[in-house]
Amino acid sequence: MPRTPPPDRAGFPAFVDLQTRWNDNDEYGHLNNATYLELFDTAMSYWQIENGITIRGPDAWRFVVVESGCTYFREVGFPDRLAAGLRVARLGGSSFRIEIGLFRAGEDEAASLGFFVNVLTGADGRPTPIPDDLRARLSRIAV
């Protein structure tokens, strides 16, 4: 089966700049696999904050990750500066899939592509419909 090629910058409507750290590297001198998920989560959190989506405190939206993953295309490591491209690939009634492409500075092809499937839950922990105002914010980066 042919491998899906890396996405390019043009496929992402929003970007967040990130900096790798010395301790992000593993024994082989490139970014540790678990660090990719941390960077995806950080990029998504910054985007939410920048777009008025409360992620901490009593008024925070309660998103639960029910699925995540990553496809690697090329190595990244310290001291690379990265741009995380964000796009909502699917927006459902109570859930959405956000995809995050990590791009090294000056490169148009993603070094990796990760995703999270998030479910909005209520105080009882059960899925709840995404309200219109939140849906509108997520729709801005939907592809």
Side-chain angles (χ1 to χ4, degrees):
M1 170 160 58
R3 183 175 164 118
T4 303
D8 61 24
R9 282 181 181 263
F12 295 87
F15 283 88
V16 171
D17 291 328
L18 300 170
Q19 174 61 58
T20 57
R21 304 165 307 167
W22 173 257
N23 67 333
D24 292 337
N25 285 358
D26 63 16
E27 184 67 22
Y28 304 109
H30 53 71
L31 217 64
N32 189 298
N33 293 339
T35 302
Y36 282 85
L37 293 177
E38 291 176 358
L39 289 170
F40 298 150
D41 192 47
T42 297
M44 190 171 120
S45 296
Y46 277 135
W47 181 85
Q48 288 172 316
I49 291 166
E50 290 170 2
N51 286 276
I53 299 171
T54 305
I55 64 170
R56 295 193 62 160
D59 297 328
W61 295 101
R62 182 182 156 94
F63 295 107
V64 176
V65 175
V66 297
E67 185 180 358
S68 65
C70 181
T71 302
Y72 306 95
F73 300 106
R74 60 183 47 87
E75 289 185 0
V76 172
F78 178 81
D80 288 331
R81 294 184 186 273
L82 304 173
L86 293 98
R87 64 187 180 195
V88 171
R90 186 183 53 76
L91 184 54
S94 63
S95 67
F96 65 96
R97 176 186 168 112
I98 189 156
E99 296 179 343
I100 303 105
L102 290 183
F103 297 84
R104 285 191 293 207
E107 293 187 359
D108 287 328
E109 285 190 343
S112 63
L113 178 65
F115 75 92
F116 292 121
V117 175
N118 289 277
V119 175
L120 180 62
T121 61
D124 62 356
R126 306 279 306 152
T128 189
I130 297 172
D132 290 341
D133 63 328
L134 181 55
R135 179 175 297 282
R137 293 175 205 189
L138 293 169
S139 293
R140 284 186 236 152
I141 61 168
V143 293

